[in-house]
Amino acid sequence: MPWITAITQLLLPVLLLGWLALFPAAGTLALVLQGLSVGLVLFGLSFAALWALPPFWVPYLYGLVFLLIVIRQLMTIRSSTHGLWQASVGSTVLIAVVAGLGLLGGYMGIAAIQGRVTPNSDVVAIAPPFAAGHFLVAHGGSTEMVNVHLQTLDDSEARFRPWRGQSRGLDIFRITPWGWHMNGWWPADPAQYTTFGTPVVAPCSGRVAKVVDRFEDMTVPEMDSANKAGNYIAVDCGDFVVILAHLRQGKMAVAEGDQLRVGDRLGEAGNSGNSSEPHLHIHAQRGLPAGSPLGGEPLWLTIDGQFLARNERLHVP
């Protein structure tokens, strides 16, 4: 939600950096704990939060500002005669609260980094599903911290079975070279998003196994939870099937049974189905069950040889 993003990715980092710069704790140990706590919060946000708006370069800016503040504080420690802990009661309480946030940030950051590690099995390789441009992964990777799709991997949950095939998938935005992906602050019109209308192409050679093109593109943030994939195309790549979902209504360029080569145009990215804003959902699975086409055995995938997780970028020339 926009207000959560504003608080966690704009307000909170700015307040913490301002606190560290303008109100350094008295005492060497207190100051070190203050700086370490702020650093861990920034670390966790940098890797675990989705940096689409604000764009991907903002965590680097926060990191640079943090480094400059730390250098200044280190010089202060070296030139001062403060004891280990001379912080006031109020400052001590605040340091304790931020230290708790820092522990959470450390856990989030480590889990997010672990999500960038390529799994050892069930990995298939595909080509980029877009013709050209700069792209950002919104959800993807091998841990739930960076990939919300993994929540449906539990086969014991009956409600997840029709969608289990998407459990190792990716959600991808198109961005500008500077990381912007919308005009304004979460506009309702899907056409105001860079992804909307972007050509989607075949990520493998094969056959069009299924085409669904009957759902309207929703305004943001409306979602069609009853038809989660919205408009989609299933491509039979031989040993596996690739599903490309949330496509734009009325823009399909293929029909069921068509033979494809890598790079052939399929349609356009849209905002149909259970989509909070325009993006492309893509996943690989084994099989295409008749009763629940997205319920096949989920597979990990690489694009152009890259295993992509949240916030990682893909450039297609």
Side-chain angles (χ1 to χ4, degrees):
M1 295 178 66
W3 65 270
I4 294 179
T5 299
I7 291 173
T8 58
Q9 295 175 241
L10 289 174
L11 183 62
L12 179 61
V14 170
L15 287 177
L16 289 177
L17 289 170
W19 174 56
L20 181 61
L22 301 176
F23 304 98
T28 301
L29 180 59
L31 183 56
V32 169
L33 182 57
Q34 181 187 23
L36 180 62
S37 300
V38 171
L40 285 173
V41 173
L42 295 177
F43 167 72
L45 288 174
S46 296
F47 285 96
L50 170 59
W51 293 95
L53 186 67
F56 67 84
W57 49 265
V58 170
Y60 295 99
L61 178 61
Y62 290 154
L64 176 60
V65 173
F66 175 74
L67 180 61
L68 293 175
I69 295 173
V70 167
I71 292 173
R72 178 190 170 198
Q73 302 297 10
L74 286 175
M75 294 173 62
T76 301
I77 290 176
R78 293 182 61 183
S79 62
S80 70
T81 57
H82 288 171
L84 287 179
W85 198 287
Q86 296 183 357
S88 66
V89 174
S91 180
T92 298
V93 171
L94 188 54
I95 291 172
V97 171
V98 177
L101 292 177
L103 291 175
L104 177 61
Y107 164 75
M108 291 170 57
I110 292 171
I113 291 174
Q114 290 174 336
R116 297 188 173 197
V117 178
T118 306
N120 292 325
S121 62
D122 296 329
V123 180
V124 298
I126 62 172
F130 295 106
H134 297 268
F135 303 92
L136 177 78
V137 177
H139 293 285
S142 55
T143 64
E144 287 191 23
M145 185 61 66
V146 289
N147 194 349
V148 69
H149 301 107
L150 288 169
Q151 295 175 358
T152 62
L153 191 58
D154 185 0
D155 195 37
S156 66
E157 287 279 353
R159 61 194 177 97
F160 291 157
R161 290 172 193 163
W163 313 104
R164 190 171 184 273
Q166 61 94 59
S167 299
R168 293 169 173 166
L170 300 170
D171 289 339
I172 305 175
F173 294 144
R174 183 179 181 180
I175 59 175
T176 69
W178 282 96
W180 305 107
H181 82 294
M182 64 179 73
N183 296 316
W185 185 264
W186 271 283
D189 182 2
Q192 296 301 309
Y193 293 77
T194 306
T195 309
F196 192 78
T198 298
V200 175
V201 302
C204 66
S205 296
R207 178 182 61 85
V208 178
K210 189 173 184 63
V211 175
V212 174
D213 184 19
R214 62 177 183 271
F215 302 109
E216 65 177 300
D217 293 285
M218 312 294 290
T219 58
V220 179
E222 293 181 272
M223 294 185 288
D224 182 1
S225 58
N227 302 288
K228 295 186 182 298
N231 304 314
Y232 69 91
I233 293 174
V235 179
D236 186 344
C237 303
D239 293 333
F240 58 93
V241 174
V242 171
I243 307 288
L244 304 102
H246 307 312
L247 300 180
R248 188 177 180 185
Q249 186 180 32
K251 297 296 182 178
M252 302 297 188
V254 294
E256 293 181 9
D258 287 354
Q259 294 296 317
L260 299 171
R261 293 179 299 178
V262 172
D264 285 348
R265 186 182 179 104
L266 299 177
E268 295 181 5
N271 196 43
S272 59
N274 196 45
S275 173
S276 59
E277 62 180 271
H279 70 279
L280 176 71
H281 169 91
I282 183 169
H283 75 262
Q285 62 180 49
R286 294 205 191 279
L288 193 68
S292 52
L294 274 66
E297 182 63 25
L299 302 169
W300 301 108
L301 56 81
T302 61
I303 298 179
D304 259 0
Q306 300 181 63
F307 180 74
L308 296 168
R310 176 179 294 163
N311 293 321
E312 293 192 295
R313 300 186 300 281
L314 178 69
H315 176 226
V316 184

